[in-house]
Every structure is written in structure tokens, then in C-alpha cells.
Amino acid sequence: MRVPATSANLGPGFDSFGLALEIFDRVRARRAGATLLVDVVGVGADEVPRDASHLVVTAMARAFAAAGEELPAGLQVRCENRIPHGGGLGSSAAAIVAGLLLGRALLAGGPDLLSDAAVLTLASGMEGHPDNVAPALVGGFTVSFPQPAPSTSSGGSATSQAGPDGAVGVIRRDVHPDVRILVFTADQASSTHATRGLLPASVPHADAAANAAAAGLLALALTVEPRYLLRATVDRLHQPYRAPAMPATAALVADLRAAGLAAVVSGAGPSVIALTTQDVDPARWERPGFTVQQVPVCRSGAETTGAGDGTTSAG
Ligand SMILES: Nc1ncnc2c1ncn2[C@@H]1O[C@H](COP(=O)(O)OP(=O)(O)OP(=O)(O)O)[C@@H](O)[C@H]1O
Ligand SMILES: N[C@@H](CCO)C(=O)O
């Protein structure tokens, strides 16, 4: 199967907004032999485990467990990775989504046992937030939100909290065709877990209000009114608190914004994306520590292709 990179938050949409990008990890799995074999090539190959603790395998096991089954002992998994690990481009979400979808595909009657909605909720639970896994699954621009539990949905409002099962909903839209995405991939890695620890437990009301206004505007700017992109990508909830841990990222975002480009920290950083309708030469923005390229939005999300021989692949 092939799963896209994703950029989460997009400035003000902390833990909710996400965008799928045409940079792909490709993963294959098949029932074979009597033991688990994990083969990894590409980005991060020297750093990830080759046993059942590999994130793709963990997610496959989670899909089997959700169907009341155990992961088969004999399994071959091959990962060809292009999404940088710890870069803020959704590598862990891609691994989780790949594992859950491959696990479902290898289960007899998998799609009946595990709906797409169930996969989204399982993936969000594993990742800890839905904003990367949602676009990795469905592509495009996504807004994720807590779903009220079915038992409480009648009369529920848009402000309902997540149900007891932590169910997640998603709305997907195509990005306006004039919007181009520049991706500044950082050479350095940064742990999302660590940089979430930099965020305060509470924020000033004025900052929350500013983010609410920007997030609403951004949903419109990305889909119908791109001229508002710069104003819509102001964030006061996470980027200021993370800036001291990634000064080069903060400086790049500031420089791009000063030039009129709607730049934001990608996910938890340290990579950066800029959203623009201008015809920008990426070479003009080359910086030490970053690789810059224009990347199309991935409209399709994760794609699975069964080989019909017990092999399931994405990509
Ligand atoms: N393809 C993969 N295979 C196995 N493990 C992976 C894979 N991708 C990510 N991981 C695990 O997830 C960690 C990175 O996750 P983390 O959430 O910190 O960063 P990210 O997902 O790249 O960035 P962000 O969540 O900000 O978009 C890696 O260090 C590794 O342990
Ligand atoms: N919303 C998450 C995204 C991580 O990719 C965060 O900013 O921590």
C-alpha cells in the first residue's frame, strides 16, 4: 500500500486540520513462513526495529485485535520509506495507517469487521491526535473532530465532546486549484511527544479567540478564498511555545511570512510548509538545514492493492 505524508495543524488548526502531500511510504505485507520478517529500506531504515514493536506491525496487530483475532505468526512486511521520521510530515501516522489497512486487508472479511470510520478512530487513538491520520487515510484537506458517541448523538451539538470510545469524525475537501504547497523538509528530527510537552495546559482567552477566527478563515481560504491564506495562518496556540526549541524553523516561518507567503510549522515541526497562489521558485528559498520543493496535494489518501496471492501492498 502507499500512504501519503501529511502536514498537520496548518497554523491555527491545532490537532484538527491536516493536508495530504504527494510524498509516499510504500508498504507490503503477506502471510508467509512461520515467523515475522520485517524488511525496511529508505528513510529511517537504520533506526526502526525489525520485530513486533515496529510501528507498522503494531498497527497490524491492532487491526487483528479489533476483529478479535491474533496477528499471524508467519508474516512478511516490507517498508520503502520516503517520509522523514520526526520531521513534522506525518511519518508515524503513515506507518499506523499502513499497518491498520494492511491488517484489515489480511483479515478474512476485514472491511466488514473494520469500517473506514473504525480505522480512523483506531489510528487516532494510536497516534494520540487525528490531524495526521485523517488526511493520510482520505487525502486532501481534512478537518477532524470528536464524534459524539452514538448513544448521546440525538440532540448532540457541534460542541459535543468525544464519546467514551474516543470516536473521531472527518470532513474532507479538495484544496483550491490555485493553491501551491512549498515543503521545507528539515534535516533535523524532533519528537512530537517532546514538543507537545512544551505546550501550556491553558492559554489566554484572547489567543484562543484569535485561533478560532483564523481557523474558520483558513477552512475557507484553502477551499474557496485563497487570498486570505496569509491572514488565516496566524497561530497563537502552539508555534510560539515551540519556537525556542526550533529557532531555525521559527526564523524561516517569519522570513516567509514577511515576504507574503503563508508559512506555518508543519505538524510539530521542525519542517515548514508555505501555502501560496504565487509562482514561487523554490530555489530562491533554499536555506541551510532545509530541503525545499513544491509538492502537490495528494487527493486520494492511502491506497491498497491486493495482489491476490496473500500479499497486500500499498503503492
Ligand atoms: N515508517 C515508520 N516505520 C516505523 N516507525 C516509524 C515510521 N515512521 C515513524 N515511526 C516512528 O515514529 C517516530 C516519529 O514520530 P513523530 O510523531 O515524533 O514524528 P512524525 O510523525 O514524523 O512528525 P509529526 O507527527 O509532527 O508529523 C519515529 O521516531 C519512529 O519511532
Ligand atoms: N497536532 C500535532 C501534530 C503532530 O504532527 C501536534 O502539533 O503536536
Side-chain angles (χ1 to χ4, degrees):
M1 83 179 309
R2 129 186 143 158
V3 187
T6 48
S7 183
N9 299 326
L10 308 180
F14 182 74
D15 274 2
S16 174
F17 288 9
L19 194 61
L21 299 166
E22 288 204 353
I23 301 169
F24 298 102
D25 278 357
R26 294 167 193 273
V27 188
R28 290 167 184 264
R30 67 172 181 157
R31 295 174 185 258
T35 56
L36 172 67
L37 284 177
V38 181
D39 181 21
V40 185
V41 296
V43 174
D46 298 337
E47 290 139 34
V48 293
R50 298 291 201 278
D51 58 18
S53 67
H54 187 283
L55 194 49
V56 171
V57 181
T58 308
M60 291 180 76
R62 194 65 67 90
F64 272 73
E69 294 190 29
E70 281 194 16
L71 192 66
L75 204 56
Q76 289 183 1
V77 179
R78 177 175 169 86
C79 304
E80 297 172 17
N81 297 335
R82 290 195 52 213
I83 307 170
H85 293 186
L89 290 166
S91 68
S92 51
I96 289 166
V97 164
L100 288 171
L101 292 180
L102 288 168
R104 180 172 77 171
L106 289 177
L107 274 162
D112 294 331
L113 297 170
L114 208 54
S115 67
D116 290 349
V119 170
L120 172 61
T121 293
L122 276 177
S124 300
M126 289 187 71
E127 176 79 345
H129 39 88
D131 45 347
N132 289 105
V133 296
L137 276 164
V138 301
F141 162 55
T142 52
V143 178
S144 308
F145 52 93
Q147 281 278 43
S151 57
T152 60
S153 62
S154 75
S157 72
T159 55
S160 298
Q161 295 302 300
D165 57 354
V168 171
V170 61
I171 290 180
R172 177 208 176 282
R173 288 289 180 272
D174 283 332
V175 171
H176 190 286
D178 292 350
V179 176
R180 293 149 198 208
I181 316 291
L182 290 177
V183 177
F184 298 78
T185 305
D187 296 348
Q188 302 289 318
S190 159
S191 153
T192 298
H193 179 73
T195 58
R196 284 179 85 85
L198 302 174
L199 306 181
S202 59
V203 295
H205 195 275
D207 288 352
N211 263 58
L217 189 59
L218 182 55
L220 294 171
L222 271 172
T223 51
V224 290
E225 293 275 13
R227 68 199 161 104
Y228 290 108
L229 278 170
L230 187 60
R231 266 180 279 173
T233 44
V234 175
D235 166 67
R236 287 160 62 171
L237 292 190
H238 77 104
Q239 292 183 180
Y241 300 103
R242 286 168 160 164
M246 45 188 85
T249 294
L252 178 58
V253 169
D255 287 354
L256 287 160
R257 295 189 68 82
L261 298 173
V264 294
V265 176
S266 183
S271 297
V272 168
I273 67 164
L275 310 151
T276 180
T277 54
Q278 300 171 32
D279 191 10
V280 179
D281 178 7
R284 194 199 140 199
W285 285 100
E286 275 171 10
R287 289 286 179 96
F290 296 90
T291 304
V292 55
Q293 59 181 325
Q294 189 174 317
V295 179
V297 173
C298 173
R299 299 180 63 188
S300 58
E303 289 180 331
T304 310
T305 51
D309 59 353
T311 299
T312 293
S313 68

